[in-house]
């Protein structure tokens, strides 16, 4: 598992303000090349004088199923309530987590598993679009070089030359 903020440190974590303080959501993804999992691990952290992790939740961004792992002494329904508040206050959060998960499973997983330098390209996958603020940083992440007659890394099933290379 690799955290989005570990790679894109300038990204601000989603936060909510409650009567008990400010909470942040850290997201972690599987970066195993070829893995088909669609889960994101969400750590729910309270910002205080000492940062407190209240627990985590695993969200399957395809089925929207959530499982909770509260820290000892913190009730599961409290963790569920906090996560629901994140989704209520950040309406696009589910879509953003899915987009990040697909990005981490594609270009980032490749870069973690291969040590070939990425050539900067104007063409990005139409299925996985990194946010504009990280496009420049993505150009420095090493990924495997794709041959023009190989399958496109975007997952379309077509040859690279007929898909993303042609854009």
């Amino acid at each position: 598992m690799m955290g989005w903020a570990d790679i894109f440190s300038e990204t601000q974590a989603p936060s909510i303000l409650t009567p008990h303080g400010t909470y942040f959501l850290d997201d972690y993804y599987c970066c195993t090349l070829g893995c088909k999992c669609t889960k994101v691990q969400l750590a729910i952290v309270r910002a205080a004088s000492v940062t407190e992790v209240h627990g985590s939740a695993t969200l399957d961004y395809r089925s929207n199923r959530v499982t909770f792992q509260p820290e000892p002494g913190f009730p599961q329904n409290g963790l569920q309530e906090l996560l629901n508040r994140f989704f209520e206050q950040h309406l696009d959060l589910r879509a953003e987590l899915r987009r990040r998960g697909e990005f981490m499973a594609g270009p980032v997983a490749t870069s973690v598993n291969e040590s070939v330098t990425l050539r900067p390209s104007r063409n990005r996958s139409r299925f996985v679009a990194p946010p504009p603020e990280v496009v420049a940083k993505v150009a420095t992440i090493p990924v495997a070089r794709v041959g023009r007659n190989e399958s496109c890394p975007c997952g379309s099933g077509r040859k690279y030359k007929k898909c993303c290379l042609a854009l």
Side-chain angles (χ1 to χ4, degrees), residues 72-89:
F74 195 81
Q76 179 171 329
N77 61 347
L79 197 60
Q80 186 173 1
E81 181 182 321
L82 285 172
L83 189 60
N84 287 340
R85 290 184 78 170
F86 273 103
F87 289 125
E88 290 168 4
Q89 292 184 25

Side-chain angles (χ1 to χ4, degrees), residues 32-106:
T32 304
L33 192 61
C35 182
K36 301 292 184 197
C37 75
T38 57
K39 295 180 181 169
V40 55
Q41 188 75 28
L42 303 169
I44 299 173
V45 182
R46 181 171 165 238
S49 58
V50 176
T51 303
E52 303 170 355
V53 177
H54 283 298
S56 63
T58 303
L59 168 70
D60 185 319
Y61 52 79
R62 290 233 171 93
S63 68
N64 285 325
R65 294 186 76 195
V66 180
T67 54
F68 296 94
Q69 299 90 29
E71 287 295 310
F74 195 81
Q76 179 171 329
N77 61 347
L79 197 60
Q80 186 173 1
E81 181 182 321
L82 285 172
L83 189 60
N84 287 340
R85 290 184 78 170
F86 273 103
F87 289 125
E88 290 168 4
Q89 292 184 25
H90 301 276
L91 299 177
D92 62 341
L93 183 58
R94 285 185 194 273
E96 176 66 11
L97 293 172
R98 180 181 185 132
R99 186 191 60 73
R100 288 180 179 188
E102 290 172 350
F103 182 70
M104 294 291 268

